Each structure stands twice: as structure tokens, then as C-alpha cells.
PDB file of all heavy atoms in Angstrom:
ATOM      1  N   THR A   7       0.845  -1.184   0.000  1.00 83.00           N
ATOM      2  CA  THR A   7       0.000   0.000   0.000  1.00 83.00           C
ATOM      3  C   THR A   7       0.885   1.239   0.000  1.00 83.00           C
ATOM      4  O   THR A   7       2.096   1.156   0.139  1.00 83.00           O
ATOM      5  CB  THR A   7      -0.911   0.032   1.236  1.00 83.00           C
ATOM      6  OG1 THR A   7      -0.087  -0.073   2.404  1.00 83.00           O
ATOM      7  CG2 THR A   7      -1.910  -1.094   1.224  1.00 83.00           C
ATOM      8  N   GLY A   8       0.266   2.404  -0.159  1.00 82.00           N
ATOM      9  CA  GLY A   8       1.002   3.666  -0.142  1.00 82.00           C
ATOM     10  C   GLY A   8       0.798   4.477  -1.401  1.00 82.00           C
ATOM     11  O   GLY A   8       0.903   5.712  -1.379  1.00 82.00           O
ATOM     12  N   ALA A   9       0.502   3.810  -2.514  1.00 86.00           N
ATOM     13  CA  ALA A   9       0.282   4.545  -3.760  1.00 86.00           C
ATOM     14  C   ALA A   9      -1.120   5.134  -3.780  1.00 86.00           C
ATOM     15  O   ALA A   9      -2.029   4.663  -3.113  1.00 86.00           O
ATOM     16  CB  ALA A   9       0.473   3.617  -4.952  1.00 86.00           C
ATOM     17  N   SER A  10      -1.292   6.199  -4.547  1.00 89.00           N
ATOM     18  CA  SER A  10      -2.612   6.811  -4.714  1.00 89.00           C
ATOM     19  C   SER A  10      -2.833   7.085  -6.188  1.00 89.00           C
ATOM     20  O   SER A  10      -1.896   7.181  -6.978  1.00 89.00           O
ATOM     21  CB  SER A  10      -2.726   8.099  -3.899  1.00 89.00           C
ATOM     22  OG  SER A  10      -1.776   9.058  -4.355  1.00 89.00           O
ATOM     23  N   GLY A  11      -4.092   7.239  -6.560  1.00 87.00           N
ATOM     24  CA  GLY A  11      -4.414   7.496  -7.956  1.00 87.00           C
ATOM     25  C   GLY A  11      -5.835   7.991  -8.091  1.00 87.00           C
ATOM     26  O   GLY A  11      -6.613   7.963  -7.136  1.00 87.00           O
ATOM     27  N   ALA A  12      -6.162   8.468  -9.280  1.00 85.00           N
ATOM     28  CA  ALA A  12      -7.501   8.978  -9.566  1.00 85.00           C
ATOM     29  C   ALA A  12      -8.060   8.252 -10.774  1.00 85.00           C
ATOM     30  O   ALA A  12      -7.350   7.990 -11.742  1.00 85.00           O
ATOM     31  CB  ALA A  12      -7.455  10.484  -9.834  1.00 85.00           C
ATOM     32  N   LEU A  13      -9.334   7.903 -10.701  1.00 86.00           N
ATOM     33  CA  LEU A  13     -10.031   7.235 -11.792  1.00 86.00           C
ATOM     34  C   LEU A  13     -11.188   8.120 -12.213  1.00 86.00           C
ATOM     35  O   LEU A  13     -12.044   8.465 -11.387  1.00 86.00           O
ATOM     36  CB  LEU A  13     -10.555   5.865 -11.333  1.00 86.00           C
ATOM     37  CG  LEU A  13     -11.358   5.053 -12.341  1.00 86.00           C
ATOM     38  CD1 LEU A  13     -10.482   4.625 -13.515  1.00 86.00           C
ATOM     39  CD2 LEU A  13     -11.962   3.819 -11.668  1.00 86.00           C
ATOM     40  N   ALA A  14     -11.214   8.518 -13.468  1.00 84.00           N
ATOM     41  CA  ALA A  14     -12.282   9.390 -13.966  1.00 84.00           C
ATOM     42  C   ALA A  14     -13.535   8.568 -14.241  1.00 84.00           C
ATOM     43  O   ALA A  14     -13.531   7.717 -15.121  1.00 84.00           O
ATOM     44  CB  ALA A  14     -11.820  10.112 -15.232  1.00 84.00           C
ATOM     45  N   GLN A  15     -14.594   8.814 -13.468  1.00 82.00           N
ATOM     46  CA  GLN A  15     -15.873   8.130 -13.644  1.00 82.00           C
ATOM     47  C   GLN A  15     -16.995   9.159 -13.515  1.00 82.00           C
ATOM     48  O   GLN A  15     -17.408   9.495 -12.397  1.00 82.00           O
ATOM     49  CB  GLN A  15     -16.052   7.019 -12.609  1.00 82.00           C
ATOM     50  CG  GLN A  15     -15.134   5.826 -12.820  1.00 82.00           C
ATOM     51  CD  GLN A  15     -15.468   4.681 -11.874  1.00 82.00           C
ATOM     52  OE1 GLN A  15     -15.402   4.824 -10.671  1.00 82.00           O
ATOM     53  NE2 GLN A  15     -15.828   3.546 -12.441  1.00 82.00           N
ATOM     54  N   PRO A  16     -17.459   9.691 -14.622  1.00 82.00           N
ATOM     55  CA  PRO A  16     -18.522  10.711 -14.565  1.00 82.00           C
ATOM     56  C   PRO A  16     -19.727  10.203 -13.778  1.00 82.00           C
ATOM     57  O   PRO A  16     -20.195   9.082 -13.971  1.00 82.00           O
ATOM     58  CB  PRO A  16     -18.873  10.923 -16.041  1.00 82.00           C
ATOM     59  CG  PRO A  16     -17.641  10.535 -16.791  1.00 82.00           C
ATOM     60  CD  PRO A  16     -17.041   9.414 -16.007  1.00 82.00           C
ATOM     61  N   GLY A  17     -20.201  11.035 -12.872  1.00 80.00           N
ATOM     62  CA  GLY A  17     -21.361  10.663 -12.072  1.00 80.00           C
ATOM     63  C   GLY A  17     -21.014   9.979 -10.766  1.00 80.00           C
ATOM     64  O   GLY A  17     -21.903   9.722  -9.949  1.00 80.00           O
ATOM     65  N   PHE A  18     -19.723   9.655 -10.540  1.00 81.00           N
ATOM     66  CA  PHE A  18     -19.297   9.000  -9.303  1.00 81.00           C
ATOM     67  C   PHE A  18     -18.235   9.866  -8.634  1.00 81.00           C
ATOM     68  O   PHE A  18     -17.138  10.025  -9.162  1.00 81.00           O
ATOM     69  CB  PHE A  18     -18.733   7.608  -9.584  1.00 81.00           C
ATOM     70  CG  PHE A  18     -19.772   6.617 -10.018  1.00 81.00           C
ATOM     71  CD1 PHE A  18     -20.077   6.463 -11.367  1.00 81.00           C
ATOM     72  CD2 PHE A  18     -20.461   5.851  -9.088  1.00 81.00           C
ATOM     73  CE1 PHE A  18     -21.041   5.552 -11.777  1.00 81.00           C
ATOM     74  CE2 PHE A  18     -21.425   4.947  -9.491  1.00 81.00           C
ATOM     75  CZ  PHE A  18     -21.719   4.799 -10.840  1.00 81.00           C
ATOM     76  N   ALA A  19     -18.578  10.438  -7.486  1.00 89.00           N
ATOM     77  CA  ALA A  19     -17.624  11.214  -6.703  1.00 89.00           C
ATOM     78  C   ALA A  19     -17.373  10.448  -5.422  1.00 89.00           C
ATOM     79  O   ALA A  19     -18.157  10.518  -4.474  1.00 89.00           O
ATOM     80  CB  ALA A  19     -18.177  12.606  -6.410  1.00 89.00           C
ATOM     81  N   GLN A  20     -16.285   9.680  -5.387  1.00 91.00           N
ATOM     82  CA  GLN A  20     -16.018   8.809  -4.251  1.00 91.00           C
ATOM     83  C   GLN A  20     -14.541   8.832  -3.888  1.00 91.00           C
ATOM     84  O   GLN A  20     -13.685   9.046  -4.737  1.00 91.00           O
ATOM     85  CB  GLN A  20     -16.434   7.368  -4.562  1.00 91.00           C
ATOM     86  CG  GLN A  20     -17.926   7.192  -4.786  1.00 91.00           C
ATOM     87  CD  GLN A  20     -18.315   5.731  -4.926  1.00 91.00           C
ATOM     88  OE1 GLN A  20     -17.468   4.876  -5.125  1.00 91.00           O
ATOM     89  NE2 GLN A  20     -19.600   5.455  -4.838  1.00 91.00           N
ATOM     90  N   LEU A  21     -14.293   8.610  -2.609  1.00 93.00           N
ATOM     91  CA  LEU A  21     -12.942   8.404  -2.118  1.00 93.00           C
ATOM     92  C   LEU A  21     -12.868   7.009  -1.520  1.00 93.00           C
ATOM     93  O   LEU A  21     -13.703   6.641  -0.688  1.00 93.00           O
ATOM     94  CB  LEU A  21     -12.594   9.436  -1.041  1.00 93.00           C
ATOM     95  CG  LEU A  21     -11.277   9.185  -0.288  1.00 93.00           C
ATOM     96  CD1 LEU A  21     -10.075   9.358  -1.211  1.00 93.00           C
ATOM     97  CD2 LEU A  21     -11.163  10.096   0.925  1.00 93.00           C
ATOM     98  N   GLU A  22     -11.889   6.226  -1.957  1.00 94.00           N
ATOM     99  CA  GLU A  22     -11.691   4.895  -1.391  1.00 94.00           C
ATOM    100  C   GLU A  22     -10.301   4.846  -0.757  1.00 94.00           C
ATOM    101  O   GLU A  22      -9.304   5.187  -1.386  1.00 94.00           O
ATOM    102  CB  GLU A  22     -11.834   3.811  -2.467  1.00 94.00           C
ATOM    103  CG  GLU A  22     -13.231   3.737  -3.048  1.00 94.00           C
ATOM    104  CD  GLU A  22     -13.609   2.360  -3.553  1.00 94.00           C
ATOM    105  OE1 GLU A  22     -12.975   1.388  -3.128  1.00 94.00           O
ATOM    106  OE2 GLU A  22     -14.541   2.285  -4.364  1.00 94.00           O
ATOM    107  N   LEU A  23     -10.274   4.405   0.502  1.00 95.00           N
ATOM    108  CA  LEU A  23      -9.026   4.233   1.227  1.00 95.00           C
ATOM    109  C   LEU A  23      -8.803   2.744   1.436  1.00 95.00           C
ATOM    110  O   LEU A  23      -9.681   2.036   1.908  1.00 95.00           O
ATOM    111  CB  LEU A  23      -9.091   4.949   2.573  1.00 95.00           C
ATOM    112  CG  LEU A  23      -9.334   6.463   2.505  1.00 95.00           C
ATOM    113  CD1 LEU A  23      -9.458   7.046   3.899  1.00 95.00           C
ATOM    114  CD2 LEU A  23      -8.199   7.148   1.746  1.00 95.00           C
ATOM    115  N   SER A  24      -7.618   2.284   1.098  1.00 93.00           N
ATOM    116  CA  SER A  24      -7.320   0.855   1.050  1.00 93.00           C
ATOM    117  C   SER A  24      -6.195   0.533   2.024  1.00 93.00           C
ATOM    118  O   SER A  24      -5.183   1.234   2.069  1.00 93.00           O
ATOM    119  CB  SER A  24      -6.920   0.495  -0.386  1.00 93.00           C
ATOM    120  OG  SER A  24      -6.532  -0.842  -0.500  1.00 93.00           O
ATOM    121  N   PHE A  25      -6.382  -0.530   2.836  1.00 94.00           N
ATOM    122  CA  PHE A  25      -5.401  -0.917   3.842  1.00 94.00           C
ATOM    123  C   PHE A  25      -5.136  -2.417   3.757  1.00 94.00           C
ATOM    124  O   PHE A  25      -6.045  -3.195   3.486  1.00 94.00           O
ATOM    125  CB  PHE A  25      -5.914  -0.599   5.256  1.00 94.00           C
ATOM    126  CG  PHE A  25      -6.208   0.856   5.496  1.00 94.00           C
ATOM    127  CD1 PHE A  25      -7.444   1.390   5.167  1.00 94.00           C
ATOM    128  CD2 PHE A  25      -5.255   1.694   6.054  1.00 94.00           C
ATOM    129  CE1 PHE A  25      -7.717   2.728   5.385  1.00 94.00           C
ATOM    130  CE2 PHE A  25      -5.523   3.031   6.280  1.00 94.00           C
ATOM    131  CZ  PHE A  25      -6.756   3.556   5.948  1.00 94.00           C
ATOM    132  N   LEU A  26      -3.893  -2.818   4.025  1.00 95.00           N
ATOM    133  CA  LEU A  26      -3.533  -4.223   4.176  1.00 95.00           C
ATOM    134  C   LEU A  26      -3.293  -4.495   5.658  1.00 95.00           C
ATOM    135  O   LEU A  26      -2.500  -3.801   6.302  1.00 95.00           O
ATOM    136  CB  LEU A  26      -2.280  -4.553   3.366  1.00 95.00           C
ATOM    137  CG  LEU A  26      -2.397  -4.394   1.853  1.00 95.00           C
ATOM    138  CD1 LEU A  26      -1.061  -4.703   1.177  1.00 95.00           C
ATOM    139  CD2 LEU A  26      -3.487  -5.284   1.296  1.00 95.00           C
ATOM    140  N   LEU A  27      -3.994  -5.502   6.194  1.00 94.00           N
ATOM    141  CA  LEU A  27      -3.960  -5.796   7.615  1.00 94.00           C
ATOM    142  C   LEU A  27      -3.720  -7.284   7.846  1.00 94.00           C
ATOM    143  O   LEU A  27      -3.954  -8.090   6.948  1.00 94.00           O
ATOM    144  CB  LEU A  27      -5.294  -5.396   8.268  1.00 94.00           C
ATOM    145  CG  LEU A  27      -5.710  -3.931   8.150  1.00 94.00           C
ATOM    146  CD1 LEU A  27      -7.142  -3.761   8.621  1.00 94.00           C
ATOM    147  CD2 LEU A  27      -4.781  -3.055   8.955  1.00 94.00           C
ATOM    148  N   PRO A  28      -3.295  -7.671   9.038  1.00 95.00           N
ATOM    149  CA  PRO A  28      -3.186  -9.104   9.340  1.00 95.00           C
ATOM    150  C   PRO A  28      -4.557  -9.765   9.269  1.00 95.00           C
ATOM    151  O   PRO A  28      -5.569  -9.185   9.689  1.00 95.00           O
ATOM    152  CB  PRO A  28      -2.639  -9.122  10.776  1.00 95.00           C
ATOM    153  CG  PRO A  28      -2.025  -7.779  10.976  1.00 95.00           C
ATOM    154  CD  PRO A  28      -2.811  -6.828  10.130  1.00 95.00           C
ATOM    155  N   ALA A  29      -4.607 -10.969   8.745  1.00 91.00           N
ATOM    156  CA  ALA A  29      -5.883 -11.660   8.550  1.00 91.00           C
ATOM    157  C   ALA A  29      -6.631 -11.893   9.852  1.00 91.00           C
ATOM    158  O   ALA A  29      -7.860 -11.992   9.860  1.00 91.00           O
ATOM    159  CB  ALA A  29      -5.656 -12.981   7.821  1.00 91.00           C
ATOM    160  N   ASP A  30      -5.912 -11.970  10.969  1.00 91.00           N
ATOM    161  CA  ASP A  30      -6.588 -12.298  12.221  1.00 91.00           C
ATOM    162  C   ASP A  30      -7.391 -11.140  12.812  1.00 91.00           C
ATOM    163  O   ASP A  30      -7.999 -11.288  13.872  1.00 91.00           O
ATOM    164  CB  ASP A  30      -5.599 -12.849  13.256  1.00 91.00           C
ATOM    165  CG  ASP A  30      -4.462 -11.880  13.561  1.00 91.00           C
ATOM    166  OD1 ASP A  30      -4.524 -10.725  13.116  1.00 91.00           O
ATOM    167  OD2 ASP A  30      -3.515 -12.285  14.268  1.00 91.00           O
ATOM    168  N   VAL A  31      -7.419  -9.989  12.139  1.00 90.00           N
ATOM    169  CA  VAL A  31      -8.288  -8.900  12.615  1.00 90.00           C
ATOM    170  C   VAL A  31      -9.723  -9.071  12.116  1.00 90.00           C
ATOM    171  O   VAL A  31     -10.609  -8.303  12.499  1.00 90.00           O
ATOM    172  CB  VAL A  31      -7.777  -7.508  12.186  1.00 90.00           C
ATOM    173  CG1 VAL A  31      -6.333  -7.322  12.593  1.00 90.00           C
ATOM    174  CG2 VAL A  31      -7.945  -7.279  10.687  1.00 90.00           C
ATOM    175  N   ARG A  32      -9.956 -10.061  11.278  1.00 89.00           N
ATOM    176  CA  ARG A  32     -11.282 -10.219  10.664  1.00 89.00           C
ATOM    177  C   ARG A  32     -12.429 -10.232  11.694  1.00 89.00           C
ATOM    178  O   ARG A  32     -13.473  -9.627  11.442  1.00 89.00           O
ATOM    179  CB  ARG A  32     -11.321 -11.493   9.818  1.00 89.00           C
ATOM    180  CG  ARG A  32     -12.610 -11.675   9.045  1.00 89.00           C
ATOM    181  CD  ARG A  32     -12.609 -12.983   8.273  1.00 89.00           C
ATOM    182  NE  ARG A  32     -11.718 -12.949   7.128  1.00 89.00           N
ATOM    183  CZ  ARG A  32     -12.059 -12.474   5.937  1.00 89.00           C
ATOM    184  NH1 ARG A  32     -13.260 -11.994   5.736  1.00 89.00           N
ATOM    185  NH2 ARG A  32     -11.206 -12.500   4.942  1.00 89.00           N
ATOM    186  N   PRO A  33     -12.302 -10.896  12.850  1.00 85.00           N
ATOM    187  CA  PRO A  33     -13.432 -10.889  13.788  1.00 85.00           C
ATOM    188  C   PRO A  33     -13.835  -9.502  14.269  1.00 85.00           C
ATOM    189  O   PRO A  33     -14.953  -9.325  14.773  1.00 85.00           O
ATOM    190  CB  PRO A  33     -12.915 -11.751  14.957  1.00 85.00           C
ATOM    191  CG  PRO A  33     -11.892 -12.639  14.340  1.00 85.00           C
ATOM    192  CD  PRO A  33     -11.226 -11.801  13.298  1.00 85.00           C
ATOM    193  N   ALA A  34     -12.951  -8.512  14.142  1.00 88.00           N
ATOM    194  CA  ALA A  34     -13.271  -7.159  14.601  1.00 88.00           C
ATOM    195  C   ALA A  34     -13.967  -6.322  13.530  1.00 88.00           C
ATOM    196  O   ALA A  34     -14.379  -5.190  13.808  1.00 88.00           O
ATOM    197  CB  ALA A  34     -11.995  -6.451  15.047  1.00 88.00           C
ATOM    198  N   LEU A  35     -14.133  -6.841  12.324  1.00 91.00           N
ATOM    199  CA  LEU A  35     -14.651  -6.022  11.240  1.00 91.00           C
ATOM    200  C   LEU A  35     -16.106  -5.610  11.445  1.00 91.00           C
ATOM    201  O   LEU A  35     -16.513  -4.521  11.059  1.00 91.00           O
ATOM    202  CB  LEU A  35     -14.501  -6.754   9.902  1.00 91.00           C
ATOM    203  CG  LEU A  35     -13.062  -6.955   9.419  1.00 91.00           C
ATOM    204  CD1 LEU A  35     -13.049  -7.617   8.057  1.00 91.00           C
ATOM    205  CD2 LEU A  35     -12.297  -5.644   9.388  1.00 91.00           C
ATOM    206  N   ARG A  36     -16.911  -6.499  12.040  1.00 88.00           N
ATOM    207  CA  ARG A  36     -18.312  -6.118  12.256  1.00 88.00           C
ATOM    208  C   ARG A  36     -18.407  -4.956  13.240  1.00 88.00           C
ATOM    209  O   ARG A  36     -19.252  -4.075  13.092  1.00 88.00           O
ATOM    210  CB  ARG A  36     -19.115  -7.332  12.743  1.00 88.00           C
ATOM    211  CG  ARG A  36     -19.358  -8.364  11.668  1.00 88.00           C
ATOM    212  CD  ARG A  36     -20.451  -9.345  12.070  1.00 88.00           C
ATOM    213  NE  ARG A  36     -20.078 -10.133  13.237  1.00 88.00           N
ATOM    214  CZ  ARG A  36     -19.336 -11.229  13.190  1.00 88.00           C
ATOM    215  NH1 ARG A  36     -18.860 -11.649  12.033  1.00 88.00           N
ATOM    216  NH2 ARG A  36     -19.054 -11.902  14.282  1.00 88.00           N
ATOM    217  N   LEU A  37     -17.536  -4.959  14.240  1.00 89.00           N
ATOM    218  CA  LEU A  37     -17.502  -3.837  15.179  1.00 89.00           C
ATOM    219  C   LEU A  37     -17.030  -2.566  14.476  1.00 89.00           C
ATOM    220  O   LEU A  37     -17.591  -1.484  14.688  1.00 89.00           O
ATOM    221  CB  LEU A  37     -16.583  -4.168  16.353  1.00 89.00           C
ATOM    222  CG  LEU A  37     -16.353  -3.040  17.369  1.00 89.00           C
ATOM    223  CD1 LEU A  37     -17.669  -2.582  17.982  1.00 89.00           C
ATOM    224  CD2 LEU A  37     -15.387  -3.489  18.449  1.00 89.00           C
ATOM    225  N   LEU A  38     -16.018  -2.680  13.630  1.00 92.00           N
ATOM    226  CA  LEU A  38     -15.521  -1.518  12.897  1.00 92.00           C
ATOM    227  C   LEU A  38     -16.612  -0.941  12.004  1.00 92.00           C
ATOM    228  O   LEU A  38     -16.788   0.279  11.909  1.00 92.00           O
ATOM    229  CB  LEU A  38     -14.300  -1.907  12.063  1.00 92.00           C
ATOM    230  CG  LEU A  38     -13.675  -0.783  11.223  1.00 92.00           C
ATOM    231  CD1 LEU A  38     -13.218   0.365  12.107  1.00 92.00           C
ATOM    232  CD2 LEU A  38     -12.504  -1.321  10.401  1.00 92.00           C
ATOM    233  N   GLU A  39     -17.367  -1.822  11.352  1.00 90.00           N
ATOM    234  CA  GLU A  39     -18.455  -1.346  10.503  1.00 90.00           C
ATOM    235  C   GLU A  39     -19.522  -0.626  11.326  1.00 90.00           C
ATOM    236  O   GLU A  39     -20.066   0.403  10.911  1.00 90.00           O
ATOM    237  CB  GLU A  39     -19.081  -2.518   9.743  1.00 90.00           C
ATOM    238  CG  GLU A  39     -20.138  -2.058   8.739  1.00 90.00           C
ATOM    239  CD  GLU A  39     -20.805  -3.228   8.048  1.00 90.00           C
ATOM    240  OE1 GLU A  39     -21.274  -4.141   8.754  1.00 90.00           O
ATOM    241  OE2 GLU A  39     -20.864  -3.218   6.813  1.00 90.00           O
ATOM    242  N   GLN A  40     -19.820  -1.157  12.512  1.00 89.00           N
ATOM    243  CA  GLN A  40     -20.797  -0.517  13.389  1.00 89.00           C
ATOM    244  C   GLN A  40     -20.311   0.869  13.812  1.00 89.00           C
ATOM    245  O   GLN A  40     -21.077   1.834  13.834  1.00 89.00           O
ATOM    246  CB  GLN A  40     -21.045  -1.386  14.624  1.00 89.00           C
ATOM    247  CG  GLN A  40     -22.272  -1.006  15.435  1.00 89.00           C
ATOM    248  CD  GLN A  40     -23.558  -1.430  14.751  1.00 89.00           C
ATOM    249  OE1 GLN A  40     -23.611  -2.476  14.124  1.00 89.00           O
ATOM    250  NE2 GLN A  40     -24.578  -0.604  14.851  1.00 89.00           N
ATOM    251  N   CYS A  41     -19.026   0.984  14.130  1.00 91.00           N
ATOM    252  CA  CYS A  41     -18.452   2.284  14.482  1.00 91.00           C
ATOM    253  C   CYS A  41     -18.521   3.247  13.305  1.00 91.00           C
ATOM    254  O   CYS A  41     -18.832   4.441  13.470  1.00 91.00           O
ATOM    255  CB  CYS A  41     -16.997   2.118  14.922  1.00 91.00           C
ATOM    256  SG  CYS A  41     -16.760   1.180  16.436  1.00 91.00           S
ATOM    257  N   LEU A  42     -18.239   2.750  12.115  1.00 92.00           N
ATOM    258  CA  LEU A  42     -18.255   3.594  10.923  1.00 92.00           C
ATOM    259  C   LEU A  42     -19.635   4.181  10.677  1.00 92.00           C
ATOM    260  O   LEU A  42     -19.784   5.354  10.325  1.00 92.00           O
ATOM    261  CB  LEU A  42     -17.814   2.775   9.709  1.00 92.00           C
ATOM    262  CG  LEU A  42     -17.849   3.479   8.348  1.00 92.00           C
ATOM    263  CD1 LEU A  42     -16.854   4.624   8.310  1.00 92.00           C
ATOM    264  CD2 LEU A  42     -17.577   2.482   7.218  1.00 92.00           C
ATOM    265  N   HIS A  43     -20.678   3.373  10.863  1.00 89.00           N
ATOM    266  CA  HIS A  43     -22.039   3.805  10.548  1.00 89.00           C
ATOM    267  C   HIS A  43     -22.743   4.488  11.707  1.00 89.00           C
ATOM    268  O   HIS A  43     -23.875   4.959  11.549  1.00 89.00           O
ATOM    269  CB  HIS A  43     -22.872   2.603  10.098  1.00 89.00           C
ATOM    270  CG  HIS A  43     -22.466   2.086   8.757  1.00 89.00           C
ATOM    271  ND1 HIS A  43     -22.665   0.778   8.365  1.00 89.00           N
ATOM    272  CD2 HIS A  43     -21.850   2.693   7.709  1.00 89.00           C
ATOM    273  CE1 HIS A  43     -22.205   0.609   7.141  1.00 89.00           C
ATOM    274  NE2 HIS A  43     -21.697   1.753   6.728  1.00 89.00           N
ATOM    275  N   SER A  44     -22.101   4.546  12.867  1.00 87.00           N
ATOM    276  CA  SER A  44     -22.726   5.165  14.030  1.00 87.00           C
ATOM    277  C   SER A  44     -23.045   6.635  13.755  1.00 87.00           C
ATOM    278  O   SER A  44     -22.220   7.381  13.224  1.00 87.00           O
ATOM    279  CB  SER A  44     -21.812   5.055  15.247  1.00 87.00           C
ATOM    280  OG  SER A  44     -22.328   5.800  16.328  1.00 87.00           O
ATOM    281  N   GLU A  45     -24.251   7.043  14.125  1.00 84.00           N
ATOM    282  CA  GLU A  45     -24.673   8.429  13.950  1.00 84.00           C
ATOM    283  C   GLU A  45     -24.522   9.231  15.241  1.00 84.00           C
ATOM    284  O   GLU A  45     -25.059  10.333  15.373  1.00 84.00           O
ATOM    285  CB  GLU A  45     -26.139   8.469  13.501  1.00 84.00           C
ATOM    286  CG  GLU A  45     -26.400   7.783  12.168  1.00 84.00           C
ATOM    287  CD  GLU A  45     -25.916   8.597  10.976  1.00 84.00           C
ATOM    288  OE1 GLU A  45     -25.552   9.770  11.179  1.00 84.00           O
ATOM    289  OE2 GLU A  45     -25.897   8.059   9.850  1.00 84.00           O
ATOM    290  N   ALA A  46     -23.795   8.693  16.219  1.00 84.00           N
ATOM    291  CA  ALA A  46     -23.653   9.368  17.507  1.00 84.00           C
ATOM    292  C   ALA A  46     -22.950  10.713  17.347  1.00 84.00           C
ATOM    293  O   ALA A  46     -22.036  10.854  16.518  1.00 84.00           O
ATOM    294  CB  ALA A  46     -22.866   8.479  18.469  1.00 84.00           C
ATOM    295  N   PRO A  47     -23.366  11.710  18.118  1.00 84.00           N
ATOM    296  CA  PRO A  47     -22.673  13.015  18.083  1.00 84.00           C
ATOM    297  C   PRO A  47     -21.193  12.846  18.376  1.00 84.00           C
ATOM    298  O   PRO A  47     -20.803  12.080  19.267  1.00 84.00           O
ATOM    299  CB  PRO A  47     -23.373  13.810  19.202  1.00 84.00           C
ATOM    300  CG  PRO A  47     -24.711  13.168  19.354  1.00 84.00           C
ATOM    301  CD  PRO A  47     -24.490  11.704  19.068  1.00 84.00           C
ATOM    302  N   GLY A  48     -20.375  13.517  17.596  1.00 81.00           N
ATOM    303  CA  GLY A  48     -18.939  13.393  17.763  1.00 81.00           C
ATOM    304  C   GLY A  48     -18.335  12.252  16.974  1.00 81.00           C
ATOM    305  O   GLY A  48     -17.110  12.136  16.906  1.00 81.00           O
ATOM    306  N   GLY A  49     -19.183  11.401  16.393  1.00 86.00           N
ATOM    307  CA  GLY A  49     -18.694  10.291  15.591  1.00 86.00           C
ATOM    308  C   GLY A  49     -18.292  10.738  14.195  1.00 86.00           C
ATOM    309  O   GLY A  49     -18.473  11.893  13.798  1.00 86.00           O
ATOM    310  N   LEU A  50     -17.737   9.785  13.427  1.00 92.00           N
ATOM    311  CA  LEU A  50     -17.223  10.120  12.101  1.00 92.00           C
ATOM    312  C   LEU A  50     -18.322  10.612  11.173  1.00 92.00           C
ATOM    313  O   LEU A  50     -18.165  11.642  10.506  1.00 92.00           O
ATOM    314  CB  LEU A  50     -16.527   8.903  11.493  1.00 92.00           C
ATOM    315  CG  LEU A  50     -15.979   9.116  10.078  1.00 92.00           C
ATOM    316  CD1 LEU A  50     -14.900  10.185  10.065  1.00 92.00           C
ATOM    317  CD2 LEU A  50     -15.430   7.810   9.510  1.00 92.00           C
TER     318      LEU A  50
END
């Protein structure tokens, strides 16, 4: 990882961030997704 680039796609304005992680973090992904979608004040 570390490289960045831009893809021209009319009608799509998106940012994608890509990470390589140890496979054993997989059980934490559902929690991470819950944190990402949380609408709590002060959240992302």
C-alpha cells in the first residue's frame, strides 16, 4: 500500500481508502463497521 491514484468516472464522486492488515483482525470487522455507521454526536 502507499500509492494513490484517480479514476475518472462521470457521475461518481467517491474516495476509497485501502489498507492491508493481518488476517486475524477479521473478527473485529463487524464492530468496525458498526463504528463507521454510528450516527452518535462526535462520531465520524
Side-chain angles (χ1 to χ4, degrees):
T7 55
S10 62
L13 178 66
Q15 290 187 299
F18 290 90
Q20 296 187 345
L21 171 67
E22 295 208 20
L23 300 177
S24 176
F25 300 86
L26 297 178
L27 301 170
D30 58 9
V31 307
R32 185 182 288 275
L35 292 183
R36 288 195 296 277
L37 175 59
L38 179 60
E39 185 183 52
Q40 194 75 36
C41 295
L42 176 65
H43 290 154
S44 172
E45 299 285 350
L50 178 63

